Structures are given as C-alpha cells and as structure tokens.
C-alpha cells in the first residue's frame, strides 16, 4: 500500500478557515485579524498567530503534525486545528496571570515597588491602575509585556497630577530561564555594556517573569522603534544605525564577560544546522534540489573546518530586528540565544539579515544599498575592534570567517522564507542560493575589507 503524498509547505488556508470557524462559533461577525506569524517545524506541527486586531485581540492556531502529514498506517490520529484566544496558552499557563496584574495582588505589589524605586515615585502617590500589554509573543515559548502603572491622588479632580510609569517584563516557560536572563543582563552591565542594554530589575518571586527597565515605545515623545524601522533602503539614518550596532557588537565581543556557563556554538554545529535546512529546502522547492546540493556541500565542509578555539561571548541571533532605536541611541535586545561562539557568527548573522527583501527580486537600487550598508557595518565593527586592542590579524580573520557564517545564515533565510509562503517561489530561493555562492567564494579567496596591516580597503571593493 503506497503512502499518501505529504505536503511540503504549510497551508495558510487551513489556519484561516479554522480561525473563521472559531470566531463564528463565538458569535463574532468581524473579519479575523491579519496573519502575523506562520511557522512549521518538522515534528512540531504548524503555528499561526493572528493579530493584534482592532480590538487588541490575538489568536493562535495550531495544527498538529499528523494533520499536516496525512494519516498512514500506525500514525497517531490527527486532532485537527486548535484555536486559542490570547492570553490562553497551554504551554505558557501563567500567561493569563501576568497579563492581569490588577487581579493578582502579589504581582501588582512587586510591580508597584519596582516602579517606585526605578522612577522615583513619591510615597504619597497611590497606585491607581496597573495594566499589561503584549509587545512580542511567541506562542508556547515566551512573551514580552509592557506594564503601565498610573500613580496619583484618587481624589484629585480629573486625574490631575497623575503620572504613568512603565516596566518591561519577559515571561518564560521555566523559572530558571527568567533567572538566567536576569543574571546575564547583570553581568553585561557589570562588564561595561550599560550604554546598549536594558537595566535588569529582578525576577518576580514565584513567577518565571524577568523585569527590566523600559527602553521606550512608539508612543513616547521620543519614540523607540525596532531596528527594522531604520535599517532599510528608504531610511535616512540606516547607515548611522548599523554603524552604532557594529560598535556595540565590538564592545560585546571584547567585554571580557565570564563565559563559564555559556553554551558553546561552533562551526560544526552550524554545519549540522545547514545540512538540515538544505534537506528541508529541497522538500519545499524540489526543482532546485541540484542547485541546493551544489552549495550545501561546500558550505557544510567549510563551516565544519572553521577553528573551534576562537570562541567569545556572542549574541547568537544578531540582526536588525534585535535592535531598538531611540533618538541617536541603539540598544541590543533579546539575549535568549546568547552563547560562546566565534565572533564571526554575529558578524555574519547581521550581514545576512541586512539584505533587503527587494534584493531577491533584483529591484533597482537594492544591491547598491546593501553593499553600502554592509560596508558601513563591517568597517565600523573592525575599526572599533582595533580601537579596543585587537590585532590586525585577528580583525582580518574574523572578517574572513564571517563570510562563511553569513552563507550559512542565508540558507536559514531561504528555508524560513519558503516555509512561511504558500508557494515555493523558486526565483526567490535561487537568488538566495546565488548569494550563498558569492559569500563562499569571497571566503575562499580571502577577500575581506581589512588588510593584515590593519588598513581598511576602499568600501564597495569586496563584492
């Protein structure tokens, strides 16, 4: 008996139909919120997040693996799509608690005392209200929350004299994760990284909830935005932002942070990930299987051959979306992938994700913008690395290895983009494969923007 064909890509229609059916049962006649997140991981099913909508609503639709793959003899019976309205999350059972602080006196008390200390709220001002709003939500994993606390005199007419203070918190699945995140930020601050990290404010007792200072939001007089709002071809301050991001990264890599408890991440690890992504990509775009294999073999070999004695504290997922930009300042956020790795990993990560989406479609000006932004980032990083005492040879070696990690992360981008689309778009995937080949060729020829003597080559000459 032949097995049924198993679909290689997630179906957007299935999750939108499931949400529409759920809303109909709830008696809701509004259109569902926009799809914000769609991801399938082999063996873990499909997750889609819709919202926030006009009413602030967020819905998560999950489809288990048997439902995605079709039933074969001996397979578990599929359960079909399930829908949860935020903050309901079976894998984050405390999400509903932390999203309703006014209903939990112990949580409200910790938030109040922390806000009073951080913001210097006078003791004669009472806590009037405390509310929570989601900032970033990854179903079943973690959620970033902003708390707004209003202090004042409840008898003052019209709320006169009321002041609102904010705190940011991240909810994890386990208490030890929240404690580890707080400890890491504390160590970073102690290592002189204060200008570009949030100040840690402790873990709420009994909850896997790590508190930090609020670095700002789009609602503030001086708005704070994700780095994605600045790092793109239409932004006037893109090069300034990537330059500041590069300098912060150089400071992180030379921070001297104690690395005893950090997980190790080597070129061999990245080679294994690249091979897995390539197999997944072959399923999504079988017509390009020969091209995928042609780049994957050399990529995995080169990654596996990278030295394993160059490890330093690294961000682990350094890209524009992990930046917060406020005024002229750039902050690093989301250290959940922090690790002990080759600093070239972070450099290659950022350079891979620096490419604008229009590059995959050969849109006018995108190549020139990327090359200029890439030069601005790498030049600033290497200059600051040298200013902090690194030798010319070390700078050159990091820049050379970065091209290899960059190629590996481009393969990740290709696999994830195909995973999130309803159609394979082979032209887009082929363009990414071309970029991987170019990065590997540069690494093989030893072409970097820095010479062993320490002088930078003219921008734009490396590609």
């Amino acid at each position: 008996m032949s097995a049924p064909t198993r679909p290689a890509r997630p179906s957007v229609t299935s999750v939108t139909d499931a949400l529409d059916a759920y809303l109909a049962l709830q008696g809701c006649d509004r259109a569902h919120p926009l799809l914000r997140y769609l991801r399938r991981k082999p063996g873990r099913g499909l997750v889609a997040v819709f919202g926030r909508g006009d009413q602030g609503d967020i819905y998560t639709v999950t489809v288990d693996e048997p439902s995605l793959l079709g039933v074969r003899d001996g397979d578990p019976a599929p359960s079909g799509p399930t829908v949860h309205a935020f903050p309901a999350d079976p894998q984050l059972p405390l999400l509903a608690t932390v999203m309703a602080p006014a209903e939990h006196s112990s949580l409200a008390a910790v938030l109040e005392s922390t806000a009073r200390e951080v913001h210097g709220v006078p003791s004669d001002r009472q806590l009037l209200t405390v509310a929570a709003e989601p900032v970033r939500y990854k179903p079943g994993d973690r959620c970033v929350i902003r708390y707004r606390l209003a202090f004042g005199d409840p008898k003052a007419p019209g709320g006169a004299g009321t002041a609102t203070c904010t705190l940011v918190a991240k909810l994890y699945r386990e208490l030890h994760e929240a404690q580890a995140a707080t400890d890491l930020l504390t160590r970073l601050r102690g290592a002189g990284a204060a200008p570009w990290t949030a100040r840690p404010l402790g873990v709420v007792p009994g909850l896997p909830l790590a508190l930090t200072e609020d670095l700002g939001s789009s609602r503030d007089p001086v708005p704070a935005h994700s780095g994605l709002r600045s790092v793109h071809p239409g932004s006037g301050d893109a090069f300034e932002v990537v330059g500041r991001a590069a300098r912060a990264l150089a400071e992180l890599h030379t921070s001297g942070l104690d690395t005893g408890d950090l997980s190790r991440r080597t070129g061999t690890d990245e080679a294994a990930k690249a091979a897995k992504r390539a197999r997944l990509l072959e399923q999504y775009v079988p017509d390009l299987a020969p091209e995928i294999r042609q780049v994957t073999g050399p990529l995995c070999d080169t990654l596996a051959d990278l030295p394993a004695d160059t490890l330093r504290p690294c961000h682990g997922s350094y890209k524009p979306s992990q930046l917060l930009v406020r005024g002229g300042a750039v902050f690093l956020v989301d250290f959940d992938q922090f690790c002990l790795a080759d600093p070239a990993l972070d450099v290659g990560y950022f350079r891979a994700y620096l490419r604008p989406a229009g590059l995959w479609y050969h849109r006018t000006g995108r190549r020139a913008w990327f090359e200029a932004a890439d030069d601005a980032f790498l030049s600033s990083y290497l200059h600051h690395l040298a200013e902090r005492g690194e030798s010319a040879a070390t700078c050159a070696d990091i820049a050379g290895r970065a091209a290899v990690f960059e190629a590996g992360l481009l393969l990740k981008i290709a696999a994830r983009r195909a995973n999130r689309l309803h159609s394979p778009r082979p032209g887009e995937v082929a363009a990414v494969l071309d970029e991987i080949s170019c990065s590997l060729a540069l690494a093989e020829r030893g072409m970097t923007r820095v010479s062993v003597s320490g002088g930078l080559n003219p921008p734009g000459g490396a590609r």
Side-chain angles (χ1 to χ4, degrees):
M1 178 179 178
S2 62
T5 301
R6 298 192 168 203
R9 295 183 304 278
S11 168
V12 173
T13 302
S14 66
V15 294
T16 54
D17 287 349
L19 179 56
D20 288 339
Y22 172 87
L23 294 175
L25 287 175
Q26 305 301 311
C28 177
D29 57 1
R30 295 184 283 109
H32 60 248
L34 293 176
L35 178 64
R36 302 292 186 185
Y37 174 101
L38 177 68
R39 182 171 300 172
R40 179 190 174 191
K41 294 188 176 180
R44 296 170 59 181
L46 173 68
V47 178
V49 179
F50 295 81
R52 304 165 67 185
D54 293 338
Q55 309 297 318
D57 46 349
I58 301 173
Y59 300 95
T60 302
V61 182
T62 58
V63 185
D64 63 6
E65 194 74 1
S67 297
L68 289 171
L69 299 179
V71 179
R72 298 190 307 182
D73 292 342
D75 280 351
S79 61
T82 58
V83 181
H84 291 100
F86 187 89
D89 187 329
Q91 294 180 300
L92 276 178
L94 292 171
L95 181 58
T97 297
V98 299
M99 288 303 300
E103 299 174 12
H104 302 276
S105 57
S106 58
L107 172 58
V110 172
L111 295 175
E112 178 182 359
S113 62
T114 304
R116 286 186 183 278
E117 179 180 355
V118 170
H119 295 281
V121 179
S123 58
D124 60 349
R125 290 197 174 188
Q126 298 182 29
L127 177 63
L128 304 179
T129 60
V130 53
E133 61 184 54
V135 177
R136 291 189 303 276
Y137 173 49
K138 188 173 182 181
D141 193 2
R142 50 192 180 266
C143 184
V144 178
I145 304 157
R146 174 171 286 107
Y147 289 107
R148 296 186 183 275
L149 298 91
F151 293 90
D153 182 356
K155 299 180 180 179
T162 299
T164 299
C165 304
T166 60
L167 302 170
V168 165
K170 181 179 283 191
L171 176 70
Y172 293 88
R173 295 179 65 175
E174 303 291 342
L175 183 60
H176 69 85
E177 294 176 299
Q179 190 61 59
T182 296
D183 292 345
L184 175 60
L185 279 182
T186 301
R187 288 155 56 197
L188 282 172
R189 300 279 294 193
W196 41 263
T197 58
R199 179 155 54 109
L201 302 175
V203 177
V204 176
L207 291 173
L209 189 67
L211 298 176
T212 66
E213 68 171 316
D214 187 0
L215 294 175
S217 71
S218 59
R219 295 168 54 176
D220 295 335
V222 179
H225 297 293
S226 163
L228 293 175
R229 288 279 299 272
S230 295
V231 185
H232 62 83
S235 170
D237 63 347
F239 292 176
E240 178 182 351
V241 170
V242 300
R244 290 180 180 272
R247 290 191 288 276
L249 186 63
E251 292 173 10
L252 172 62
H253 289 163
T254 55
S255 63
L257 184 75
D258 176 22
T259 60
D261 61 344
L262 296 180
S263 60
R264 293 168 58 91
R265 188 169 163 184
T266 66
T268 300
D269 298 325
E270 297 306 301
K273 294 176 184 177
K276 183 182 294 185
R277 289 162 184 154
R279 291 193 294 270
L280 193 63
L281 197 55
E282 287 183 33
Q283 294 178 354
Y284 292 146
V285 198
D287 291 346
L288 290 178
E291 289 84 354
I292 295 168
R293 293 169 190 158
Q294 185 175 359
V295 302
T296 302
L299 170 60
C300 291
D301 291 343
T302 308
L303 283 168
D305 287 342
L306 290 176
D309 59 352
T310 58
L311 308 187
R312 302 188 187 193
C314 288
H315 185 278
S317 60
Y318 201 60
K319 52 188 175 181
S321 64
Q322 307 287 39
L323 305 176
L324 192 68
V325 181
R326 185 184 68 206
V330 172
F331 302 93
L332 279 60
V333 299
D334 195 353
F335 291 89
D336 290 329
Q337 302 301 316
F338 202 80
C339 60
L340 188 62
D342 189 330
L345 169 68
D346 282 342
V347 178
Y349 214 121
F350 196 92
R351 296 173 72 190
Y353 279 84
L354 190 55
R355 289 166 171 80
L359 191 68
W360 314 128
Y361 305 104
H362 310 290
R363 290 177 181 159
T364 303
R366 297 303 188 263
R367 169 66 60 186
W369 181 90
F370 163 66
E371 291 184 352
D374 189 40
D375 283 343
F377 175 76
L378 187 59
S379 297
S380 295
Y381 173 79
L382 295 176
H383 273 306
H384 204 52
L385 213 58
E387 289 174 353
R388 292 176 69 83
E390 297 295 335
S391 68
T394 297
C395 293
D397 288 344
I398 292 175
R401 296 193 304 271
V404 184
F405 285 108
E406 179 182 7
L409 271 301
L410 284 167
L411 188 61
K412 177 180 181 179
I413 290 172
R416 283 197 167 183
R417 289 183 69 83
N419 189 21
R420 294 169 178 173
L421 299 170
H422 341 295
S423 62
R425 299 192 185 179
E428 178 178 301
V429 175
V432 181
L433 295 177
D434 287 343
E435 292 291 298
I436 294 173
S437 297
C438 289
S439 293
L440 285 176
L442 289 176
E444 184 178 356
R445 296 197 301 269
M447 291 185 66
T448 68
R449 292 177 179 78
V450 68
S451 67
V452 175
S453 63
L456 291 174
N457 295 324
R463 290 182 186 269

